[in-house]
């Protein structure tokens, strides 16, 4: 795993955007995997800026998002579809019909999962997947558990994730209890992966990534079996509370 240690969130956001820019230079019709959460927002702002300046072209790009709440209306401001439109898609020259988010509105969630997995395959697979990480090590909505799922599936959110994500909703009760998420296998099939980690509260999850163990209680540790993962993090996440610590 390659690590890019940054001095600030701005530096992290730029580092991530530059990797995506390089990807699009090498392959203008790339299939990109995107993540939600607050961490990638700065990088999306940077991508929009680069697109506006003519440094990046998204016209041939296809995207697949990692996950979506279930059930949720895509028009709901807390849906990940709404988030992506607001934070990125409406600001760049992408063909919106080539941007995909799991169908959190489907009445048949199992069919929606199967369809999503097939769509990714039919698009030729994901060239570059962007990931954030939960405080508990979740990637997408692959929560810590004894058994993890390989493919896109419906999952129950853990109490800690419901609590963490309740900051975006009017109340804790409004947070959907389930989500559709790419599985660990779906993520690991991506050709390249970048994982953005910011803040001291993620340092425990990051620490597990730096060791050798693969732990189902920290799903992100499965990324160790992939041969092209770049970790982009700030010092708070990397060193935790004691930022004098040697690594
Ligand atoms: C959400 C998303 C994840 C994201 C995580 C961290 O639950 N499903 O894809 O990585 O939260 O979010 P944040 O970046 O806001 O800490």
């Amino acid at each position: 795993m390659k690590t890019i240690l940054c001095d600030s969130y701005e530096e992290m956001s730029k580092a991530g955007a530059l990797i995506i820019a390089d990807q699009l230079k090498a392959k203008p019709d790339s299939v990109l995997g995107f993540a939600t959460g607050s961490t990638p927002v700065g990088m999306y702002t940077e991508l929009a800026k680069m697109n506006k300046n003519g440094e990046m072209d998204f016209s041939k790009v296809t995207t697949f998002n990692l996950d979506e709440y279930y059930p949720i209306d895509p028009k709901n401001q807390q849906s990940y579809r709404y988030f992506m439109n607001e934070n990125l898609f409406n600001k760049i020259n992408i063909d919106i019909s080539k941007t995909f988010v799991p169908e959190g509105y489907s009445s048949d969630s199992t069919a929606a999962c199967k369809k999503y997995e097939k769509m990714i395959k039919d698009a030729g697979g994901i060239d570059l997947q962007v990931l954030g990480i939960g405080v508990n090590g979740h990637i997408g909505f692959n929560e810590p558990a004894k058994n993890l799922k390989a493919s896109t599936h419906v999952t129950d959110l853990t109490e800690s994730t419901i609590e963490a994500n309740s900051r975006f909703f009017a109340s804790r009760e409004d947070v959907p209890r389930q989500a559709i998420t790419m599985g660990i296998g779906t993520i690991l099939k991506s050709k390249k992966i970048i994982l953005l980690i910011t803040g001291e509260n993620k340092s425990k999850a990051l620490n597990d990534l730096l060791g050798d163990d693969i732990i189902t209680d920290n799903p992100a540790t499965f990324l160790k079996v992939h041969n092209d993962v770049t970790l982009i993090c700030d010092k708070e996440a990397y060193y935790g509370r004691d930022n004098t610590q040697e690594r």
Side-chain angles (χ1 to χ4, degrees):
M1 209 177 286
K2 189 179 158 200
T3 304
I4 302 178
L5 184 55
C6 299
D7 279 330
S8 64
Y9 176 70
E10 289 67 36
E11 201 182 310
M12 275 179 61
S13 302
K14 282 190 181 143
L18 285 178
I19 292 175
I20 297 179
D22 284 347
Q23 173 67 37
L24 296 194
K25 258 177 224 147
K27 190 181 176 199
D29 62 344
S30 288
V31 177
L32 301 178
F34 281 138
T36 50
S38 43
T39 309
V41 170
M43 187 186 76
Y44 294 151
T45 305
E46 198 58 38
L47 291 178
K49 209 160 79 189
M50 291 173 83
N51 183 234
K52 202 171 165 215
N53 295 343
E55 295 165 66
M56 274 176 105
D57 176 21
F58 287 90
S59 63
K60 297 190 176 73
V61 168
T62 300
T63 70
F64 288 93
N65 258 77
L66 272 175
D67 50 12
E68 177 61 286
Y69 290 111
Y70 188 82
I72 202 159
D73 185 324
K75 290 194 191 75
N76 183 318
Q77 297 200 3
Q78 305 313 328
S79 76
Y80 286 169
R81 161 53 77 184
Y82 189 93
F83 174 101
M84 288 309 298
N85 288 353
E86 284 293 301
N87 286 290
L88 186 65
F89 300 149
N90 291 346
K91 299 180 179 170
I92 58 175
N93 70 330
I94 200 160
D95 175 354
I96 198 82
S97 70
K98 291 200 290 190
T99 67
F100 301 101
V101 177
E103 294 175 358
Y105 53 86
S106 173
S107 55
D108 186 343
S109 55
T110 310
C113 293
K114 267 199 178 154
K115 181 176 154 194
Y116 204 63
E117 198 72 29
K118 184 174 182 306
M119 280 164 66
I120 295 173
K121 198 171 169 221
D122 291 349
I126 293 169
D127 293 303
L128 170 61
Q129 175 69 52
V130 175
L131 294 177
I133 189 170
V135 172
N136 63 8
H138 75 222
I139 47 175
F141 270 129
N142 292 278
E143 298 277 31
K146 195 159 166 250
N147 300 311
L148 301 177
K149 296 269 185 208
S151 313
T152 301
H153 60 284
V154 180
T155 185
D156 294 332
L157 302 185
T158 60
E159 284 304 317
S160 75
T161 297
I162 292 168
E163 185 60 43
N165 291 8
S166 63
R167 70 189 194 274
F168 300 113
F169 290 82
S171 76
R172 196 177 193 281
E173 285 57 52
D174 291 333
V175 185
R177 268 33 187 179
Q178 288 190 310
I180 295 178
T181 181
M182 287 185 194
I184 295 290
T186 325
I187 295 169
L188 290 176
K189 276 185 210 148
S190 310
K191 292 166 194 115
K192 219 175 164 47
I193 296 173
I194 59 174
L195 169 58
L196 302 165
I197 312 187
T198 175
E200 191 194 305
N201 65 337
K202 303 281 176 74
S203 67
K204 159 79 179 74
L206 194 155
N207 199 40
D208 288 345
L209 280 178
L210 301 174
D212 196 41
D213 291 353
I214 294 174
I215 316 161
T216 61
D217 254 345
N218 182 338
T221 58
F222 276 80
L223 297 173
K224 291 177 199 182
V225 302
H226 195 283
N227 63 8
D228 195 349
V229 177
T230 303
L231 189 64
I232 305 175
C233 55
D234 59 13
K235 289 183 174 156
E236 287 72 17
Y238 193 78
Y239 293 113
R241 195 183 297 271
D242 178 9
N243 63 11
T244 56
Q245 187 182 332
E246 287 285 321
R247 281 217 190 271

